Amino acid sequence: MTEPLLRADGLVKHFPVLRGVVFRRAVAEVHAVDGVSFEIAPGETFGVVGESGCGKTTVARLVMRLVDLDDGTLTSDGEDITRVRGEALRKLRLKMQIIFQDPFASLNPRMTVGDIVGEPLHIHNMWKDGGPRRVRELLDLVGLAAEHAERYPHEFSGGQRQRIGIARALALHPKLVVCDEPVSALDVSMRAQILNLLKHLQEEFGLTYLFISHDLSVVRQVCDRVAVMYLGQVVEVAERDALFDRALHPYTQALISAIPIPDPELERKRRRIVLQGDVPSPQDPPRACRFHTRCFKAQEICEQIEPELEQRCDDHPAACHFAEPRAPVVESPA
């Protein structure tokens, strides 16, 4: 069996809520990530999906070691990277890079595109080994011209800026690229182009992606396996087709039922699941099953015992006491 490129085991991250002007003190905690575990195989695209505020971006930042874990372990290529610092963390950056959600805010407006793309090469003392040539190669890889290296980020469209961010992420030949909602800020036509570019780069260089998104349509297009998050926890993990055809968790079923269908006739016949109430506060998540306050299957046990993420219905892991596949969201014609 192939060793996972990345293994996350029981990741926990709570952020303190501070009050006071002179003497700042923690009065509560935001439970951003609570016990998240997953594995990513070399060459696959592993998706993490969920509503805004569910903790998926925090997972991306934990994986990249941009924030420290409160608990849990991270392993890359069999090496424990949970607490790496200094030179060890610097070397880790050669293997792991990130593409940020906002293609404008993530680029320094005072630097030219050539400087932005070449900055990782300077930081890791690789510029002297053909740095200018490498910048030209990277720009060509992402569909930009060599003369674009002399321009500044504000001179480009949103899609072009994201291409610049992708070029920068590839500068050090990484194995793993974390894609933090890389197309959410783009229009539909640009989304398709960037997704096709990411797929092409993956095939050409054998890249592995951790793909963060709130858009299930995008996830279905690009991911091999998917983890669904709700309020800081993973509630279901499955192969892409198994998830969309046989979703087991009520929350996943509700998300899938909300995906637009292009055919108006099928859209009219579909069975949509409308969740009641608002997402609970991550400062005070519900006890036991965190989804029970909005779940259409909730029973007394859901308020008392937290369900484990384990195999259900001889299918894939789901954290629900009453996990079972639901009838198709579109009714069969009479």
Side-chain angles (χ1 to χ4, degrees), residues 85-96:
R85 294 284 190 278
E87 187 61 26
L89 182 58
R90 180 187 176 92
K91 290 180 179 178
L92 183 64
R93 295 283 181 257
L94 293 170
K95 299 193 298 182
M96 300 167 57

Side-chain angles (χ1 to χ4, degrees), residues 196-262:
N196 289 337
L197 173 62
L198 289 173
K199 186 65 175 177
H200 169 73
L201 293 171
Q202 183 178 40
E203 293 172 352
E204 184 168 352
F205 299 107
L207 298 173
T208 302
Y209 291 145
L210 172 59
F211 196 94
I212 309 296
S213 181
H214 67 273
D215 190 333
L216 278 168
S217 300
V218 172
V219 168
R220 189 170 197 172
Q221 182 178 346
V222 302
C223 294
D224 301 308
R225 288 190 304 126
V226 184
V228 181
M229 285 191 68
Y230 181 80
L231 214 59
Q233 296 182 334
V234 173
V235 298
E236 187 165 0
V237 182
E239 300 286 339
R240 176 193 58 205
D241 293 341
L243 186 81
F244 285 91
D245 295 341
R246 303 185 306 280
L248 300 179
H249 197 281
Y251 177 62
T252 310
Q253 294 168 357
L255 292 179
I256 292 175
S257 78
I259 299 175
I261 297 177

Side-chain angles (χ1 to χ4, degrees), residues 22-303:
V22 179
F23 300 102
R24 305 283 283 172
R25 67 186 188 280
V27 297
E29 284 186 332
V30 173
H31 295 236
V33 176
D34 253 339
V36 169
S37 301
F38 57 85
E39 295 180 353
I40 307 178
E44 84 166 329
T45 300
F46 183 81
V48 178
V49 66
E51 295 171 290
S52 295
C54 72
K56 53 188 185 296
T57 292
T58 302
V59 168
R61 293 176 182 272
L62 290 173
V63 167
M64 284 297 301
R65 293 299 324 283
L66 297 176
V67 293
D68 289 332
L69 283 75
D70 293 337
D71 199 3
T73 59
L74 279 169
T75 307
S76 175
D77 274 341
E79 176 188 358
D80 189 341
I81 61 170
T82 309
R83 306 295 175 192
V84 293
R85 294 284 190 278
E87 187 61 26
L89 182 58
R90 180 187 176 92
K91 290 180 179 178
L92 183 64
R93 295 283 181 257
L94 293 170
K95 299 193 298 182
M96 300 167 57
Q97 288 291 307
I98 186 168
I99 301 168
F100 293 98
Q101 177 178 356
D102 189 334
F104 188 67
S106 63
L107 303 178
N108 190 331
R110 295 181 177 85
M111 295 174 66
T112 65
V113 168
D115 290 337
I116 290 171
V117 174
E119 186 176 27
L121 301 175
H122 284 288
I123 292 173
H124 290 271
N125 300 317
M126 299 168 64
W127 182 256
K128 294 181 179 179
D129 300 327
R133 183 183 72 254
R134 177 63 178 159
V135 169
R136 291 193 297 271
E137 290 174 351
L138 289 165
L139 292 177
D140 182 62
L141 275 175
V142 300
L144 296 175
E147 55 265 26
H148 289 156
E150 303 304 319
R151 300 182 187 177
Y152 289 86
H154 72 270
E155 300 179 65
F156 295 87
S157 67
Q160 289 175 316
R161 290 183 198 129
Q162 197 58 292
R163 291 174 187 270
I164 296 167
I166 294 171
R168 178 179 59 186
L170 295 181
L172 301 175
H173 304 282
K175 293 182 178 180
L176 175 70
V177 178
V178 176
C179 305
D180 185 11
E181 305 215 38
V183 296
S184 63
L186 308 179
D187 60 42
V188 175
S189 61
M190 283 296 103
R191 287 184 186 186
Q193 291 183 31
I194 295 300
L195 292 176
N196 289 337
L197 173 62
L198 289 173
K199 186 65 175 177
H200 169 73
L201 293 171
Q202 183 178 40
E203 293 172 352
E204 184 168 352
F205 299 107
L207 298 173
T208 302
Y209 291 145
L210 172 59
F211 196 94
I212 309 296
S213 181
H214 67 273
D215 190 333
L216 278 168
S217 300
V218 172
V219 168
R220 189 170 197 172
Q221 182 178 346
V222 302
C223 294
D224 301 308
R225 288 190 304 126
V226 184
V228 181
M229 285 191 68
Y230 181 80
L231 214 59
Q233 296 182 334
V234 173
V235 298
E236 187 165 0
V237 182
E239 300 286 339
R240 176 193 58 205
D241 293 341
L243 186 81
F244 285 91
D245 295 341
R246 303 185 306 280
L248 300 179
H249 197 281
Y251 177 62
T252 310
Q253 294 168 357
L255 292 179
I256 292 175
S257 78
I259 299 175
I261 297 177
D263 189 322
E265 183 66 19
L266 292 179
E267 179 69 26
R268 184 181 63 82
K269 293 180 178 180
R270 79 181 328 191
R271 299 190 189 97
R272 187 183 295 273
I273 301 173
V274 180
L275 299 178
Q276 303 301 315
D278 297 324
V279 179
S281 169
Q283 292 184 37
D284 185 24
R287 62 186 299 269
C289 176
R290 296 190 175 185
F291 186 58
H292 80 261
T293 58
R294 305 173 71 198
C295 183
F296 54 90
K297 292 184 178 181
Q299 298 184 28
E300 187 176 353
I301 189 176
C302 304
E303 303 175 28

